[in-house]
Amino acid sequence: MKNVLIIGLGRFGRHMAQQLIEDGNRVLAVEKDEERADSAIDILQDIQIGDATNEHFVQSLGVNNFDLCVVAIGDNFQRALEITVLLKDLGAKYVLARACRDVHKKLLLRNGADHVVYAEREMAERLAIKYGSKNIFDYIELTPEYAIYEIAVPASWIGKSILEKGIRTRYGISILATKKGSKIFPQPHPDHIFSADETLMVMGNRQDIKAITR
C-alpha cells in the first residue's frame, strides 16, 4: 500500500484516485473548487479544500510523507508548474505531473517533476495503434522504443513451435504469454505450438513488432 497525494479532481484526477483506491492505496486529494470536490466524494472520502499554490497550506499536508504526489491539473499550466516546484521544494519524493504540450512537459521536468504524462495524447496513441492495425489488439508503451503488444499469430508461425521459429534470435522479440479467449498462459514453453485461435503477448522494439504484424 502506498500513500498518494492527488492535486486536482478533474476527470484525470478522479479516475486516478479511484483506481489507486481500488488497488488498496491510501489517497488524499486536494481540490480548490468546492463543487468539484463534492462531486468526487463518492470516490474518496479524504479530500481537502485548498489552494495548492499556497506554501503554508501545502506544507501542512506533509508532502514528504507521501510515496507519490500527482499534479493532475491540465487546464492551467502556470498553476501546475507552481505546484510542482512547491512540492519538490517541500521534499516530495516523487512527482507525477500532467501536461498537454511538449513544451509544458519540458518545463515540468526541468522544474521538479519526476515523470510527465500526456493523458489524452497517450490514450489517443494507444487507440490509434490498437484500432489502426488488424493484427494488433492492445499496446502498452514501456519506453519510446519498446512496448508490450497483444498481436495475432503471424500466419507463417501457425503449426510451428517457438523453438522451431527461433523467435528471440530471428525476430528480436520476447513472448511473455499466449492468450485464448479470456485465459492467459504466461511464459510459454519453447515447445509451444502456435495456433490460429490464440493471440500473443510480446515485448520488443516497435520496428520489430511492426515487421511481424504487417
Side-chain angles (χ1 to χ4, degrees):
M1 181 180 69
K2 291 187 176 182
N3 291 318
V4 182
L5 173 66
I6 294 183
I7 298 175
L9 285 173
R11 285 179 297 177
F12 178 78
R14 288 200 305 272
H15 286 313
M16 191 161 191
Q18 184 174 17
Q19 187 61 55
L20 284 164
I21 291 170
E22 288 177 2
D23 290 342
N25 299 288
R26 184 182 293 114
V27 177
L28 168 64
V30 171
E31 174 53 56
K32 187 178 181 180
D33 186 285
E34 193 167 345
E35 287 187 12
R36 183 174 283 183
D38 288 341
S39 69
I41 203 70
D42 59 327
I43 297 172
L44 71 163
Q45 303 296 316
D46 204 355
I47 304 174
Q48 289 203 28
I49 308 295
D51 182 1
T53 62
N54 182 299
E55 182 174 354
H56 295 296
F57 171 71
V58 177
Q59 193 168 28
S60 72
L61 300 173
V63 297
N64 59 313
N65 295 318
F66 292 93
D67 300 295
L68 170 66
C69 294
V70 181
V71 183
I73 298 169
D75 56 354
N76 188 327
F77 171 69
Q78 182 61 39
R79 187 162 175 261
L81 183 61
E82 289 179 21
I83 294 169
T84 298
V85 172
L86 187 55
L87 288 170
K88 273 300 183 181
D89 285 347
L90 293 175
K93 297 173 185 175
Y94 194 94
V95 177
L96 171 67
R98 179 185 174 195
C100 298
R101 299 171 54 190
D102 286 336
V103 65
H104 292 173
K105 178 179 179 179
K106 291 177 182 178
L107 288 169
L108 286 164
L109 289 171
R110 287 175 184 172
N111 288 278
D114 295 286
H115 186 70
V116 177
V117 296
Y118 294 98
E120 291 83 1
R121 175 175 169 179
E122 289 178 0
M123 179 56 71
E125 288 178 350
R126 182 175 180 181
L127 290 173
I129 290 172
K130 179 177 179 178
Y131 291 104
S133 172
K134 65 180 181 179
N135 294 318
I136 296 177
F137 305 110
D138 210 348
Y139 153 86
I140 301 173
E141 182 180 277
L142 301 176
T143 71
E145 293 82 26
Y146 286 85
I148 295 173
Y149 294 80
E150 179 182 355
I151 66 171
V153 178
S156 62
W157 296 11
I158 296 173
K160 305 290 180 62
S161 71
I162 294 175
L163 185 61
E164 188 177 359
K165 293 298 296 182
I167 301 301
R168 182 173 294 182
T169 54
R170 185 179 300 176
Y171 301 99
I173 65 170
S174 298
I175 299 178
L176 306 179
T178 62
K179 181 179 176 183
K180 283 191 178 183
S182 60
K183 292 185 178 181
I184 292 180
F185 306 91
Q187 298 179 328
H189 193 273
D191 292 334
H192 174 80
I193 303 296
F194 295 112
S195 63
D197 63 344
E198 67 182 355
T199 58
L200 307 176
M201 309 298 293
V202 300
M203 180 178 69
N205 182 282
R206 289 171 181 263
Q207 298 305 317
D208 291 333
I209 301 296
K210 285 182 180 179
I212 65 172
T213 55
R214 285 175 183 152

